[in-house]
């Protein structure tokens, strides 16, 4: 009984962050990326992040070594067979996630929890491609996962109470605050946040204010730590577009219809921090 070993699938922004959180909370973590280069990049990123914490005096070197020793990287999905809970954080695309859940269902032990970090997609549609729809749920961390205190836990209508309890217990052990949210696009945070972010892009595109003035206005006027355009760059403009598409598909509310400029920026591969340029430019 109990979740001890965590599988993390997907080597992007969220996969790396969640892996670090779980390892620092005492879980054994198996990271899976599709390629060895992806595995190496993830482990290198973890090493760098832990080294930064040690340098800032926030983590003892011996503890950092223990954390690192709890994490292994694999490229084969079958290596997740011994995990008690697998959390996928791959691209926000329903078809990709459904294929992955089908494969995870085949390789993981029948009692293992299969969880998704999706921002908006219907958890039930992932549950139903498995033979264990009662053991599937959403566990939605925020970005950057090591710093953000909230996690939304999303039971699909097929999820058992035991699965929900175990998922919430995992989140609490990770030192996070868990809220339980119905399986509805955007859950709580993104359903409220994304119309705001989307409207910021529309204001910018209409020339109502400059990029810097829009961000300065929301930081100074609402005491937000980041402006909306900075936040979109942090989230990733491709992920943001997928989130808005899913919200619009679910509710048909014009506030969720992606701003044309957002679509054009994604087409131009200006994805934000992860591609080196978005509303802002980033070094390196
Ligand atoms: N970025 C955020 O702020 C944020 C916050 C919370 C949740 N999420 C969710 O986390 C998930 C991942 O987002 P991210 O920001 O880490 O994205 P990302 O673009 O940084 O990483 C996506 C990962 O998916 C992998 N991938 C792409 N196509 C794939 C495929 N066909 N099969 C398997 N893997 C594939 C990529 O190699 C990459 O490792 C999404 O579901 C997103 O909605 C994102």
């Amino acid at each position: 009984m109990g979740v001890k070993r965590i599988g993390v699938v997907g080597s992007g922004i969220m996969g790396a962050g969640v892996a670090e959180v779980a390892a620092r909370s005492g879980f054994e973590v198996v990271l899976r990326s599709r390629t060895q280069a992806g595995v190496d990049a993830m482990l290198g990123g973890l090493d760098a992040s832990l080294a930064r914490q040690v340098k800032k005096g926030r983590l003892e070197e011996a503890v950092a070594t223990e954390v690192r020793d709890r994490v292994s990287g694999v490229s084969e999905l079958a290596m997740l067979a011994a995990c008690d809970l697998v959390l996928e954080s791959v691209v926000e695309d329903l078809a990709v996630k459904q294929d992955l859940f089908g494969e995870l269902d085949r390789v993981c032990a029948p009692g293992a929890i299969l969880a998704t970090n999706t921002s908006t997609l219907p958890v039930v549609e992932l549950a139903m491609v498995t033979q264990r729809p009662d053991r599937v749920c959403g566990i939605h961390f925020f970005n950057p996962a090591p710093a953000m205190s909230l996690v939304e836990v999303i039971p699909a209508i097929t999820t058992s109470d035991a699965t929900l309890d175990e998922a919430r217990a995992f989140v609490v052990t990770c030192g996070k605050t868990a809220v339980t949210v119905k399986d509805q696009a955007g859950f709580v945070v993104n359903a409220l946040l994304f119309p705001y972010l989307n409207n910021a892009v529309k204001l910018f595109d209409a020339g109502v204010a400059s990029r810097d003035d829009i961000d300065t206005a929301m930081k100074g006027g609402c005491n937000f730590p980041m402006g909306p355009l900075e936040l979109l760059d942090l989230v990733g403009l491709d992920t943001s577009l997928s989130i808005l598409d899913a919200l619009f598909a679910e509710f048909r509310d014009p506030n969720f219809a992606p701003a044309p400029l957002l679509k054009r920026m994604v087409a131009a591969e200006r994805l934000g921090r992860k591609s080196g340029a978005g509303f802002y430019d980033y070094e390196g």
Side-chain angles (χ1 to χ4, degrees), residues 40-246:
D40 294 344
M42 262 181 118
L43 294 176
L46 176 63
D47 287 340
S49 175
L50 293 174
R52 273 196 305 277
Q53 304 300 316
V54 170
K55 202 170 165 196
K56 287 180 185 164
R58 292 185 188 155
L59 194 65
E60 284 178 29
E61 186 133 24
V63 177
T65 306
E66 281 170 27
V67 170
R68 185 61 185 78
D69 288 348
R70 283 198 282 274
V71 181
S72 55
V74 301
S75 55
E76 292 299 319
L77 214 55
M79 302 291 280
L80 300 176
C83 291
D84 307 304
L85 185 158
V86 176
L87 179 59
E88 72 74 23
S89 269
V90 304
V91 64
E92 185 79 341
D93 178 309
L94 184 61
V96 170
K97 288 188 191 286
Q98 283 180 317
D99 282 352
L100 179 60
F101 268 74
E103 282 186 64
L104 287 171
D105 191 40
R106 283 187 283 283
V107 303
C108 295
I113 295 176
L114 304 183
T116 175
N117 197 18
T118 182
S119 303
T120 36
L121 297 171
V123 178
V124 69
E125 293 195 32
L126 303 176
M128 293 308 289
V129 300
T130 73
Q131 302 299 312
R132 62 181 91 192
D134 58 316
R135 297 296 279 165
V136 174
C137 66
I139 301 181
H140 183 217
F141 281 83
F142 289 82
N143 181 17
M148 299 296 282
S149 64
L150 184 74
V151 176
E152 293 175 320
V153 181
I154 303 106
I157 54 176
T158 54
T159 305
S160 69
D161 290 347
T163 301
L164 176 60
D165 290 346
E166 288 167 58
R168 286 185 59 103
F170 163 67
V171 168
V172 170
T173 307
C174 285
K176 306 293 186 190
T177 303
V179 291
T180 302
V181 189
K182 222 169 88 171
D183 180 18
Q184 175 178 291
F187 316 125
V188 170
V189 173
N190 286 338
L192 293 174
L193 177 65
F194 269 82
Y196 154 68
L197 296 180
N198 198 31
N199 281 315
V201 180
K202 292 179 187 169
L203 281 187
F204 172 63
D205 200 20
V208 172
S210 69
R211 170 196 76 181
D212 291 356
D213 282 352
I214 290 173
D215 280 346
T216 300
M218 293 312 292
K219 284 188 279 194
C222 292
N223 224 8
F224 289 172
M226 298 179 84
L229 303 176
E230 287 176 283
L231 182 54
L232 281 160
D233 275 0
L234 176 74
V235 171
L237 302 196
D238 52 342
T239 302
S240 299
L241 179 57
S242 300
I243 289 170
L244 284 162
D245 280 337

Side-chain angles (χ1 to χ4, degrees), residues 257-271:
L261 177 63
L262 185 63
K263 293 199 231 175
R264 298 299 179 275
M265 289 178 72
V266 172
E269 296 177 5
R270 291 178 64 98
L271 307 182

